[in-house]
Amino acid sequence: MEYQFTNDKPIYLQLMEMFIIDIVSGELQKGERLESVRDLAIKAKVNPNTMQKALSELERIGLVRTERTSGRYITEDEDLINAKKNELVKAEIDKFLIKMKSMGFDKSEIIKIMDGGQE
């Protein structure tokens, strides 16, 4: 995972988004054990408290689980992963549609262009 941060939102939220993308894409496999908070923080060049906050939030939404003596693991709940994937797709489509509408396209024009039609 390559870590590049922007100034538009807190780093822990950006870390969460990166982990979520890696989980739904399969780059992080279901049931896979994550490295320690300290090691992940070093790789991301962030404060361990920031990484801890991101992982705690991922645990809160169910994408990560903690086993007391052996660390953190990616969920094996395929339905949850697919639901999160669909949520991401919808959010990206919504952003795209908003941008296209601001450029003067309506939904039917966008669909026509996407289907290979010319405007």
Side-chain angles (χ1 to χ4, degrees), residues 35-49:
E35 296 179 65
S36 72
V37 170
R38 180 183 201 90
D39 290 342
L40 289 169
I42 289 169
K43 283 185 176 178
K45 298 179 183 163
V46 299
N47 185 297
N49 292 330

Side-chain angles (χ1 to χ4, degrees), residues 64-106:
V64 170
R65 73 177 192 286
T66 298
E67 291 185 11
R68 188 173 290 251
T69 58
S70 61
R72 283 191 169 92
Y73 294 83
I74 303 300
T75 185
E76 293 181 26
D77 184 341
E78 183 121 10
D79 291 336
L80 179 61
I81 292 171
N82 286 333
K84 186 52 78 174
K85 189 177 205 174
N86 289 335
E87 207 176 287
L88 289 175
V89 167
K90 184 177 179 343
E92 289 301 316
I93 289 170
D94 288 347
K95 281 195 282 188
F96 171 76
L97 289 174
I98 289 167
K99 185 172 184 176
M100 292 300 103
K101 286 178 182 177
S102 75
M103 295 170 61
F105 292 98
D106 66 29

Side-chain angles (χ1 to χ4, degrees), residues 5-47:
F5 302 107
T6 61
N7 293 324
D8 64 337
K9 60 182 130 183
I11 291 174
Y12 85 94
L13 290 175
Q14 294 178 62
L15 286 166
M16 279 184 66
E17 289 173 356
M18 291 174 196
F19 277 106
I20 290 169
I21 289 169
D22 283 352
I23 292 168
V24 301
S25 71
E27 187 158 326
L28 288 172
Q29 297 290 309
K30 292 178 280 190
E32 181 177 337
R33 184 177 186 278
L34 292 173
E35 296 179 65
S36 72
V37 170
R38 180 183 201 90
D39 290 342
L40 289 169
I42 289 169
K43 283 185 176 178
K45 298 179 183 163
V46 299
N47 185 297

Side-chain angles (χ1 to χ4, degrees), residues 11-13 15-16 19 49-59:
I11 291 174
Y12 85 94
L13 290 175
L15 286 166
M16 279 184 66
F19 277 106
N49 292 330
T50 302
M51 184 60 72
Q52 175 64 39
K53 186 169 184 176
L55 294 173
S56 292
E57 286 297 306
L58 289 169
E59 190 168 351

